[in-house]
Amino acid sequence: MLVNSSWPSSPKQNCPDKKPIEIYMFIDPLCPECWALEPILKKLHIEYGRYFSIKHVLSGRLANLNLSRKKSYESMADLWEKTASRSGMSCDGSLWFENPVDAPYNVSIALKSAELQGRRAGIRFLRKVQEVLFLEKRNISDLKVLKECAESAGLDVEEFTNDMHSESAAKAFQCDLKITSEMDVHEIPTLVFFNENVEDEGIKITGTYPYEVYVHILEEMLSEKPIQSSPPPLETFLKFFKFVASKEIAVVYNMSISQIEKEMKKLLLKQIVEQIPAKYGTFWRYIEEN
């Protein structure tokens, strides 16, 4: 559903490198649809990243679910399988029967703790949590697993652990829930676009849409026609993102999955990447040089 809605202006920070568009992305780390949006977000960042920044807002929708009931597990597993099959971004629903996430609130607090080390740190941590959850089928509400994710994302683990038990992280999560309520967000993912003119209405888009829809919104909200950047050489892309799905590469480079797999197998032979099979599709890990 795509609607124009009028809200108070977004609470943008006055920083010198502020970009003309700020996108509030309402998410939940357990949401497969948010994971399915990753290819489009990567493409948008690469082609138009100079024009916008993203602020992740936790909706708390899944954190509040009563996940103790068997029916809840079954419905979550079914949603994961359907989303993975449709989107090409693998997520294995059997997690809900083998190793369910039993304390979703912990994950929300962990994400806010990671963001206290900076927005980029928060984004890296979110991605790592999603990989561990959807592909490795691990219980991401376990503190040990969350610490491993923090370390993999390059966070200060001691600071992260302290913040997990701090008032700052709890307040940040409560702030997200308040924003979710004020902006009348009931589904995830939801993206709300704001431009620099505080009198202009925000544009809210709920669900997932073709890439062109997001580009059109950016064009509509900018005072100038945005200049599209070309994607970097494939090896540069892999070195930067380190771990990506064939689907993500295919969307960014406008190629078919079969074309991408052919290119990736060349890099596999050169030992530039390693292949990580998943329940749906394939992932690739960049091999760091020693």
Side-chain angles (χ1 to χ4, degrees):
M1 182 177 64
L2 183 57
V3 295
N4 279 16
S5 302
S6 183
W7 296 293
S9 61
S10 63
K12 295 180 186 176
Q13 296 173 346
N14 293 319
C15 48
D17 58 347
K18 183 164 64 78
K19 295 175 181 179
I21 303 289
E22 181 156 41
I23 302 172
Y24 277 40
M25 182 175 176
F26 293 83
I27 62 157
D28 192 289
L30 306 185
C31 171
E33 291 286 352
C34 297
W35 176 237
L37 202 54
E38 282 287 287
I40 283 175
L41 290 175
K42 275 188 172 55
K43 187 175 178 68
L44 207 58
H45 265 296
I46 285 168
E47 294 189 346
Y48 298 102
R50 74 182 86 170
Y51 298 102
F52 70 90
S53 58
I54 288 184
K55 174 181 172 60
H56 287 104
V57 184
L58 292 171
S59 72
R61 190 173 76 101
L62 295 178
N64 292 332
L65 279 182
N66 177 7
L67 292 173
S68 61
R69 290 193 219 134
K70 187 183 174 189
K71 193 175 178 185
S72 294
Y73 289 153
E74 287 173 353
S75 61
M76 286 295 288
D78 185 51
L79 177 62
W80 280 31
E81 295 292 326
K82 284 178 178 172
T83 304
S85 180
R86 176 184 51 77
S87 69
M89 287 295 285
S90 189
C91 44
D92 192 337
S94 63
L95 167 130
W96 294 102
F97 306 113
E98 297 170 9
N99 194 20
V101 179
D102 51 6
Y105 177 79
N106 289 355
V107 190
S108 299
I109 293 298
L111 280 163
K112 292 292 111 180
S113 300
E115 284 179 1
L116 291 173
Q117 297 187 35
R119 190 180 288 201
R120 287 180 184 175
I123 290 169
R124 290 196 310 272
F125 179 75
L126 171 61
R127 173 69 185 204
K128 193 63 197 173
V129 162
Q130 289 173 317
E131 290 169 5
V132 165
L133 173 70
F134 294 123
L135 303 176
E136 298 178 23
K137 298 195 295 182
R138 299 182 71 190
N139 178 2
I140 56 166
S141 61
D142 184 304
L143 188 56
K144 185 186 172 197
V145 175
L146 289 168
K147 283 182 182 178
E148 287 176 23
C149 291
E151 187 173 3
S152 296
L155 272 62
D156 180 322
V157 179
E158 188 179 347
E159 186 181 330
F160 167 80
T161 308
N162 290 337
D163 285 334
M164 279 280 294
H165 306 287
S166 73
E167 203 176 306
S168 301
K171 277 186 174 175
F173 182 41
Q174 288 305 313
C175 180
D176 279 12
L177 297 182
K178 187 180 177 188
I179 293 170
T180 303
S181 174
E182 286 174 352
M183 293 196 181
D184 202 26
V185 171
H186 300 289
E187 295 176 54
I188 48 174
T190 288
L191 275 65
V192 185
F193 293 70
F194 291 101
N195 65 17
E196 291 177 301
N197 187 346
V198 294
E199 293 177 3
D200 282 358
E201 296 177 343
I203 294 182
K204 178 165 77 170
I205 178 168
T206 297
T208 52
Y209 284 82
Y211 178 70
E212 292 71 28
V213 171
Y214 301 95
V215 174
H216 176 71
I217 295 171
L218 282 178
E219 289 175 345
E220 193 175 310
M221 299 205 77
L222 288 163
S223 54
E224 55 182 326
K225 184 168 174 61
I227 298 165
Q228 180 183 4
S229 299
S230 299
L234 184 53
E235 282 189 44
T236 306
F237 172 85
L238 295 166
K239 186 175 183 180
F240 181 81
F241 287 108
K242 295 182 173 54
F243 186 82
V244 290
S246 291
K247 175 70 176 185
E248 292 178 288
I249 309 168
V251 168
V252 168
Y253 288 90
N254 292 323
M255 294 168 74
S256 68
I257 295 289
S258 59
Q259 287 174 312
I260 288 300
E261 307 250 307
K262 194 175 174 184
E263 290 302 312
M264 295 306 293
K265 276 167 186 171
K266 292 177 191 173
L267 298 179
L268 186 65
L269 289 170
K270 293 179 183 175
Q271 296 186 316
I272 291 168
V273 295
E274 59 178 318
Q275 186 175 2
I276 313 293
K279 188 168 184 178
Y280 298 87
T282 306
F283 282 73
W284 306 89
R285 179 177 283 115
Y286 181 79
I287 299 171
E288 298 286 352
E289 296 172 13
N290 293 326

